[in-house]
Amino acid sequence: MKLTKENLKSLILEVLSEDNLVSPLEEENIGRPRAFNILMQQYEQGGSDTVGFVSAANPPNKPDDWHNPTKMAELESMLREGGYQYAEIEGTYFGETEPSFIVFGIPKPKIVELGKAFLQDSVIWGEKLTSMNVAMKEPAYDPERDPKSPQYNPNLTPAAPEYEKGPVINYRFQFLNLYPEKGTEFLGYKPTDTKDVVLSDESIQARTDNFSRFDSIKVLIPFFLDEYEPDELRNVGPLGGKMTVTDPEGRERRVRGVYEVKGE
């Protein structure tokens, strides 16, 4: 086979697809099953370094001429033109079900821009981070350190703690309020909650409200649920090599480095 540019591109996309890797060579709707698999690589390298959720349906104070299917098609066209990989999903919140898109490889300013373009109250954005593993290993049983054991030795010094090896990888998701009531000229937004997990266990599948759905599979990023507060992370850096930060003037920029990040 002659190795042309198109053949090479096809071979690269085939390998990336097998490993659920997001490729800048593709500009298409990747489908819900693959999108779900990429999202659930939340604790692994690969997949996508960033992810966003945005809709064009049912904005607050929806204009009389607002047609959800037309606006969703406009949003999809913008995603395609931007070269993003995405899938259309649906969410059910407070008894209302509406369509939205999960978008991979999208910067935070862009997902905010899209949300504002379609008068949305909020969007979700996440970035995959890597941090130092501070989980302690369960110590092996030592009868000389067990006060209930006949072999107990009170003269031993406490055993030094041992820690799990290797980095911790996880998404950090932000719920971003866009304040559409302030008008289209208002460019600001505010992160109002942060979480670092996507749930999809049996309890989520049994939900009848407040979830997103990938075909028959339900998922939940547990915003505003106190029992899922993010852990403090140490020596944090973005898995993709760059991180979105806000400088003292309030501007966002993408930087490289090491950070200390606490739950916001």
Side-chain angles (χ1 to χ4, degrees):
M1 179 181 69
K2 184 178 179 181
L3 191 60
T4 65
K5 179 180 179 181
E6 288 303 313
N7 289 338
L8 180 59
K9 177 179 177 180
S10 178
L11 290 171
I12 292 173
L13 292 178
E14 182 179 342
V15 172
L16 292 173
S17 179
E18 289 176 354
D19 293 333
N20 285 325
L21 297 176
V22 171
S23 167
L25 300 177
E26 286 187 293
E27 303 174 9
E28 63 176 357
N29 185 330
I30 61 174
R32 288 181 285 272
R34 186 176 172 209
F36 173 78
N37 289 336
I38 293 172
L39 178 65
M40 298 311 290
Q41 288 182 278
Q42 57 182 317
Y43 303 122
E44 306 171 13
Q45 292 186 350
S48 180
D49 293 334
T50 63
V51 60
F53 295 80
V54 62
S55 178
N58 300 324
N61 303 314
K62 182 170 62 174
D64 292 339
D65 60 350
W66 195 273
H67 184 239
N68 286 338
T70 299
K71 294 300 183 181
M72 287 294 292
E74 292 177 8
L75 175 54
E76 181 172 13
S77 177
M78 295 170 73
L79 295 175
R80 189 178 294 114
E81 290 174 2
Y84 299 110
Q85 290 187 287
Y86 62 90
E88 184 172 344
I89 60 175
E90 66 178 28
T92 300
Y93 294 94
F94 305 107
E96 298 290 334
T97 298
E98 65 178 36
S100 63
F101 289 104
I102 180 172
V103 189
F104 296 106
I106 191 166
K108 179 162 49 168
K110 187 63 180 180
I111 202 76
V112 168
E113 177 187 324
L114 292 173
K116 286 183 173 292
F118 292 95
L119 310 181
Q120 296 298 298
D121 185 63
S122 61
V123 294
I124 295 171
W125 184 80
E127 183 170 33
K128 193 174 283 188
L129 304 178
T130 179
S131 58
M132 182 175 69
N133 197 334
V134 295
M136 292 181 61
K137 286 185 177 180
E138 185 71 26
Y141 178 71
D142 184 350
E144 292 190 0
R145 299 181 187 277
D146 182 357
K148 297 180 180 180
S149 168
Q151 302 175 39
Y152 176 60
N153 183 350
N155 297 318
L156 289 179
T157 58
E162 293 187 54
Y163 295 90
E164 300 288 350
K165 295 182 179 180
V168 174
I169 297 172
N170 63 275
Y171 276 119
R172 177 139 289 184
F173 298 98
Q174 294 181 325
F175 188 96
L176 306 175
N177 272 357
L178 303 184
Y179 305 105
E181 69 276 7
K182 295 188 177 183
T184 56
E185 299 300 316
F186 179 70
L187 303 180
Y189 65 91
K190 181 180 179 180
T192 54
D193 198 22
T194 302
K195 291 292 182 285
D196 57 8
V197 65
V198 184
L199 304 174
S200 188
D201 57 26
E202 291 183 0
S203 68
I204 305 304
Q205 304 313 308
R207 278 178 168 260
T208 59
D209 202 0
N210 295 338
F211 59 84
S212 296
R213 187 196 298 271
F214 293 70
D215 290 327
S216 62
I217 303 176
K218 300 174 184 178
V219 304
L220 176 69
I221 301 172
F223 291 116
F224 310 111
L225 296 178
D226 293 341
E227 60 265 38
Y228 295 101
E229 284 302 298
D231 294 329
E232 181 176 347
L233 305 180
R234 298 185 182 278
N235 293 342
V236 183
L239 189 62
K242 294 183 289 184
M243 190 174 196
T244 302
V245 299
T246 303
D247 66 20
E249 287 73 38
R251 297 169 301 191
E252 288 194 341
R253 54 197 177 93
R254 300 279 284 172
V255 301
R256 296 176 182 271
V258 176
Y259 310 86
E260 300 290 325
V261 176
K262 295 184 178 180
E264 298 180 33

